[in-house]
Amino acid sequence: MPEREPSLLDDLYREILLNHYRSPRNKGTLDAPTCSADGANPLCGDEIHLEVELEDGAIDAVRFTGTGCSISQASASMMTEYVAGKTVAAADRAVDDFQRMMIEGASPVDDFGDIEALVGVAKFPARVKCASLAWKTLRQALEHPDIAEPVTTDDRSANHG
Ligand code: ZN
């Protein structure tokens, strides 16, 4: 399939992104998720379903399934890899750190690792929505575990903020 987006990025970042896209980490579902959420980015057609298993206030396991562009799916892979094992509070901070990197142009957090590869996406507002989808979906799952309301990156219909 044609993959235009990664050509916007430099070679190293493109390699990291394609690696996560082709070999996604934590892809699949959980037997007994504590919470889950669905996210959609209608502008690009990206969809993410996220399942989280919480244990003593920490993310014991996290899995995602989804379809969409390479940036949306690679970001989901990177996000799950990063937050697995973290406390809910730390995962919540990570969502803020990621949004600051993508929207405010902040430097990546020191231990972001592969996630740093998405910093080049920040220059392309339409692609920021692709990259942010999994993170917004994570927040939805953690904050509203009882609500099945899907999140959308379409700000016109989002009821938060
Ligand atoms: Zn996309």
Side-chain angles (χ1 to χ4, degrees):
M1 84 177 56
E3 275 300 331
R4 265 183 322 126
E5 299 90 344
S7 64
L8 301 170
L9 309 175
D10 78 24
D11 287 348
L12 173 64
Y13 286 166
R14 187 170 62 226
E15 277 304 307
I16 295 170
L17 193 143
L18 288 177
N19 179 283
H20 277 268
Y21 178 59
R22 290 170 179 154
S23 307
R25 280 56 145 183
N26 301 303
K27 190 151 191 186
T29 56
L30 295 168
D31 288 339
T34 313
C35 49
S36 66
D38 291 294
N41 176 21
L43 293 171
C44 184
D46 307 319
E47 293 181 356
I48 296 286
H49 173 73
L50 193 70
E51 297 187 351
V52 181
E53 195 173 320
L54 298 173
E55 179 90 42
D56 296 333
I59 296 175
D60 197 44
V62 54
R63 296 284 186 278
F64 81 97
T65 54
T67 56
C69 70
S70 57
I71 290 172
S72 68
Q73 303 304 306
S75 184
S77 170
M78 293 170 180
M79 181 278 288
T80 58
E81 185 175 61
Y82 184 73
V83 302
K86 284 191 161 47
T87 63
V88 169
D92 200 52
R93 275 198 304 278
V95 177
D96 286 334
D97 289 338
F98 183 78
Q99 294 292 69
R100 269 195 290 275
M101 181 178 95
M102 298 308 291
I103 293 164
E104 298 171 22
S107 296
V109 175
D110 281 346
D111 69 344
F112 257 4
D114 286 356
I115 296 166
E116 195 179 323
L118 291 169
V119 75
V121 174
K123 291 179 294 214
F124 306 97
R127 299 266 83 95
V128 166
K129 292 181 185 295
C130 302
S132 300
L133 178 61
W135 299 77
K136 290 184 173 185
T137 307
L138 173 67
R139 174 157 284 167
Q140 179 75 2
L142 295 178
E143 288 185 350
H144 307 284
D146 303 328
I147 302 169
E149 180 95 356
V151 295
T152 174
T153 58
D154 186 347
D155 296 335
R156 287 165 300 185
S157 61
N159 63 356
H160 58 78

